[in-house]
Amino acid sequence: MCGIGGELRFDGHAADDATVRRMLPALASRGPDGEGVWQRGPVAFGHRRLKIIDLSETGAQPMTDEQLGLTLVFNGCIYNYRELRRRLRGDGYHFFSTSDTEVILKAYHRWGADCVRHLLGMFAFAIVEHDTGTVTLARDRLGIKPLYLAETPGRLRFASTLPALLAAGDVDTTLDKLALHHYMTFHSVVPAPRTILTGVRKLPPATIRIIRADGSTEQRVYWQPAFERIRLDRAEWAAQVHDALRTAVQRRMVADVPVGVLLSGGLDSSYIVALLAEQGQHGLATFSIGFEAVGGESGDEFAYSDLVARKFGTEHMQIRIDRRRFLPAVQRTVAAMSEPMVSHDCIAFNLLSEDVSAQVKVVQSGQGADEIFAGYSWYPPLLPVSRGCAVDAYAREFFDRPHAELARQLSPEWLAGSDVSREFVAAHFARPGAVTTVDAALRLDSQVMLVDDPVKRVDNMTMAWGLEARVPFLDHELVELAAACPPELKLAQGGKGVLKDAARGLVPDEVIDRPKGYFPVPAIRHLQGPILERVRDALHAPEARSRGLFRAGHVDALLADPNTARTTLGANQLWQLGLLEMWLQDKGI
């Protein structure tokens, strides 16, 4: 796991390695163990390293193979790199390191850009062919690793984070009006390729972009789950899911450093712990976080995480966060965001990662299970809905607010001319396949919402502390299997029914049958005291007044009654507005 950046020039000038060096401090937390810069003609690459596989300097990046004429920067982990290494050796390739990075170099030489189809893992990389000047950018199937782009005539820059591109300079930081509409409507998600800033875009998941020396480009999607049914009975589905998840968890133990687990006490992370125990892992480090109760809402789920830790004999660490640590963490969390993310558990993940990173460098985490196994509350109402009514039904259940309500909240100059989020969903639902409304919603959520909400949240917050998070529920083979499973089995037992069947007998029933929980952060759901004042200051700051995103009357009403107005899914509307302004001001915008 690392941070990468680079500059490509198509205007006859050499790439500026000083520009790339300006990116590296913004990437330092992602790679605290070393840095490197490589420049040749119109291409410059930069890298910050977190040592996980091949701890020696032979695994350092940017990595060049002069014999093959290739240079690479890479962020992520290839879980099947040992198997690929053996295969490539059989094809006559020689290796100078034991890193997964070098495996990508050889795989690219062997298969070209289609090497991504052979990679099992999470990745974002850039690779340049010395003789042709062609650069290939690629991102993993589920978008676990980010890749941001800033293009101007004659130049393209890329980086693992948006702030790294801002540090490089010369970025158009005007707000994208359509992205703002998505942020305020689509559960604060801005779908790729947009970001909230006009001058920054992101490479979509499962995408290869080939950039030739003259600046011409070719872009293609190389993977998506089919959502085609497989005929199995309930018991067979449970067995298939169990086997696929066990493989996914086992794959993600590959490392030259210890691997722990973030244990929330819910089914998903508990199942990961149970599978590792089943595989003979002893002394497994597990970590849980809790907060002080606010507004009558509990701030921890220690009763469940302690139960799982005791059952499987893990070396468990409870992390209790008091008010003294919470307020400073809010600003630090906002600073760590590549894009504004309204989910209150961003702060929880930041604080959790701070303490966990002092113990281990790699963890497994349970993100993704709800999006692929239908664990959320908006899926059951979609089951009886015909595909012809799917878009309206999905918008009613998931969107933060209707377009008409948004028009009463945004200043007129910032309002998009049409309901662009509904149009986006309609276009996605109109794609071939995914014959039921639930299938269409799961396909959309796993390819868009998952990528730009929970997955991005975990990446940003863990990497803010140099902690690598691996997500076995997003193993693409498991995702393909889940896509083929009938919605009725996934929605059974209150959601994630087939996963509950698979876990039964291994995970304690108390965990499987408990009500669904969320990462509890009561101080954000119930704004008061210093946190409320921080939001008030952001919305009243000169920058906010000059920008004028929101109608003043709407802001005043929310500040006067900060905890009543909620989005469709129950998020605090004031926090959504305040977080956006806090993020913009933190980035100097």
Side-chain angles (χ1 to χ4, degrees):
M1 192 76 74
C2 305
I4 65 174
E7 179 178 271
L8 319 178
R9 299 295 291 260
F10 319 112
D11 56 3
H13 292 89
D16 183 8
D17 61 347
T19 295
V20 175
R21 291 184 190 278
R22 288 198 298 272
M23 298 182 189
L24 296 183
L27 299 169
S29 69
R30 299 182 71 91
D33 298 332
E35 74 172 43
V37 174
W38 176 93
Q39 186 269 331
R40 184 176 297 182
V43 178
F45 288 167
H47 184 263
R48 289 289 316 197
R49 187 181 184 196
L50 178 64
K51 294 182 179 179
I52 302 296
I53 293 174
D54 188 350
L55 309 185
S56 75
E57 288 308 303
T58 60
Q61 298 184 48
M63 182 176 284
T64 296
D65 189 319
E66 292 289 359
Q67 185 177 3
L68 302 182
L70 299 171
T71 296
L72 169 75
V73 282
F74 154 59
N75 168 32
C77 184
I78 307 305
Y79 304 125
N80 64 331
Y81 80 98
R82 290 171 178 156
E83 295 89 337
L84 287 174
R85 179 188 177 93
R86 287 193 293 269
R87 180 174 176 181
L88 290 162
R89 272 183 165 169
D91 290 338
Y93 288 91
H94 301 282
F95 288 80
F96 54 80
S97 76
T98 59
S99 69
D100 53 344
T101 306
E102 189 182 4
V103 168
I104 298 177
L105 272 174
K106 266 63 173 183
Y108 180 88
H109 187 266
R110 174 70 176 81
W111 295 298
D114 281 340
C115 69
V116 293
R117 301 181 187 276
H118 298 265
L119 305 179
L120 302 179
M122 52 183 183
F123 55 84
F125 67 75
I127 190 165
V128 60
E129 301 173 4
H130 297 174
D131 56 350
T132 67
T134 296
V135 174
T136 297
L137 306 177
R139 196 171 175 201
D140 67 70
R141 297 167 180 85
L142 276 302
I144 302 166
K145 293 293 101 191
L147 194 59
Y148 290 90
L149 312 172
E151 295 185 67
T152 57
R155 188 190 70 204
L156 182 147
R157 293 172 179 166
F158 67 87
S160 295
T161 70
L162 186 151
L165 291 175
L166 296 180
D170 192 23
V171 174
D172 180 357
T173 57
T174 57
L175 268 63
D176 182 318
K177 187 182 295 187
L178 301 187
L180 176 62
H181 187 286
H182 285 312
Y183 175 85
M184 292 294 294
T185 304
F186 198 40
H187 203 48
S188 302
V189 167
V190 177
R194 295 183 183 276
T195 75
I196 198 72
L197 303 183
T198 300
V200 180
R201 292 296 182 252
K202 52 201 174 194
L203 190 71
T207 299
I208 301 165
R209 184 172 182 182
I210 300 170
I211 308 156
R212 297 175 185 87
D214 63 1
S216 61
T217 66
E218 170 193 342
Q219 185 165 304
R220 63 179 184 268
V221 174
Y222 65 88
W223 174 87
Q224 60 179 355
F227 283 88
E228 295 175 352
R229 295 285 173 264
I230 300 174
R231 292 186 178 275
L232 300 172
D233 63 27
R234 177 178 169 178
E236 289 170 331
W237 269 114
Q240 290 269 358
V241 168
H242 179 78
D243 289 346
L245 182 59
R246 179 169 53 198
T247 298
V249 168
Q250 188 172 26
R251 281 175 178 157
R252 283 154 183 78
M253 291 303 288
V254 59
D256 293 333
V257 295
V259 179
V261 179
L262 303 182
L263 177 59
S264 69
L267 168 62
D268 311 330
S269 59
S270 299
Y271 201 173
I272 293 170
V273 170
L275 287 168
L276 289 172
E278 182 189 56
Q279 293 169 16
Q281 291 287 333
H282 299 291
L284 181 67
T286 56
F287 308 89
S288 300
I289 192 169
F291 299 88
E292 295 179 355
V294 176
E297 182 176 353
S298 174
D300 70 73
E301 296 188 335
F302 288 147
Y304 294 106
S305 57
D306 287 353
L307 171 66
V308 173
R310 285 194 303 270
K311 178 173 177 61
F312 298 108
T314 72
E315 295 183 5
H316 189 57
M317 179 177 176
Q318 276 190 5
I319 300 169
R320 297 179 179 270
I321 304 298
D322 61 25
R323 296 179 186 180
R324 291 171 297 177
R325 288 188 66 186
F326 191 83
L327 183 59
V330 172
Q331 191 58 42
R332 195 177 66 222
T333 298
V334 172
M337 295 177 180
S338 272
E339 300 175 69
M341 291 181 282
V342 76
S343 295
H344 53 265
D345 59 3
C346 284
I347 299 168
F349 269 109
N350 190 287
L351 285 160
L352 179 61
S353 300
E354 179 183 12
D355 287 14
V356 171
S357 65
Q359 308 297 321
V360 296
K361 296 179 78 168
V362 183
V363 290
Q364 296 202 37
S365 186
Q367 275 63 44
D370 288 304
E371 290 83 1
I372 68 168
F373 287 112
Y376 287 127
S377 61
W378 56 89
Y379 297 127
L382 302 180
L383 186 61
V385 176
S386 69
R387 284 294 260 115
C389 301
V391 175
D392 287 336
Y394 180 86
R396 187 168 53 251
E397 296 294 331
F398 184 74
F399 281 7
D400 289 332
R401 51 184 62 76
H403 183 67
E405 182 179 336
L406 181 61
R408 295 190 293 271
Q409 298 176 359
L410 283 180
S411 297
E413 63 269 26
W414 286 107
L415 184 67
S418 61
D419 190 346
V420 295
S421 296
R422 189 189 185 284
E423 292 163 5
F424 174 83
V425 171
H428 206 284
F429 277 25
R431 295 177 183 177
V435 295
T436 72
T437 297
V438 172
D439 284 331
L442 289 169
R443 182 175 64 180
L444 172 63
D445 288 354
S446 62
Q447 294 178 0
V448 179
M449 186 273 285
L450 171 67
V451 176
D452 276 299
D453 187 6
V455 165
K456 180 169 63 185
R457 183 191 326 154
V458 172
D459 172 84
N460 285 191
M461 296 305 121
T462 55
M463 292 308 291
W465 294 98
L467 178 67
E468 175 173 309
R470 300 175 175 181
V471 279
F473 283 100
L474 298 188
D475 184 285
H476 80 274
E477 293 177 349
L478 177 62
V479 172
E480 290 171 348
L481 179 68
C485 181
E488 294 79 6
L489 288 180
K490 286 182 277 199
L491 291 171
Q493 304 177 61
K496 295 190 287 194
V498 67
L499 189 65
K500 292 175 179 178
D501 284 344
R504 191 93 48 193
L506 186 61
V507 177
D509 286 348
E510 301 95 312
V511 173
I512 295 174
D513 297 324
R514 57 166 288 195
K516 178 171 176 54
Y518 294 88
F519 227 147
V521 189
I524 298 300
R525 287 181 47 77
H526 305 279
L527 294 172
Q528 60 186 35
I531 304 296
L532 176 57
E533 290 310 305
R534 179 68 188 88
V535 170
R536 188 187 308 274
D537 290 345
L539 291 170
H540 283 165
E543 301 94 325
R545 293 186 184 277
S546 175
R547 228 181 321 269
L549 297 179
F550 310 109
R551 294 177 184 265
H554 177 58
V555 172
D556 291 343
L558 290 177
L559 287 169
D561 185 10
N563 294 307
T564 297
R566 300 280 164 173
T567 67
T568 300
L569 294 175
N572 188 303
Q573 286 198 28
L574 177 60
W575 177 248
Q576 187 178 34
L577 273 59
L579 186 278
L580 177 58
E581 270 298 340
M582 289 164 65
W583 184 87
L584 290 168
Q585 292 165 34
D586 177 81
K587 303 302 181 276
I589 299 169

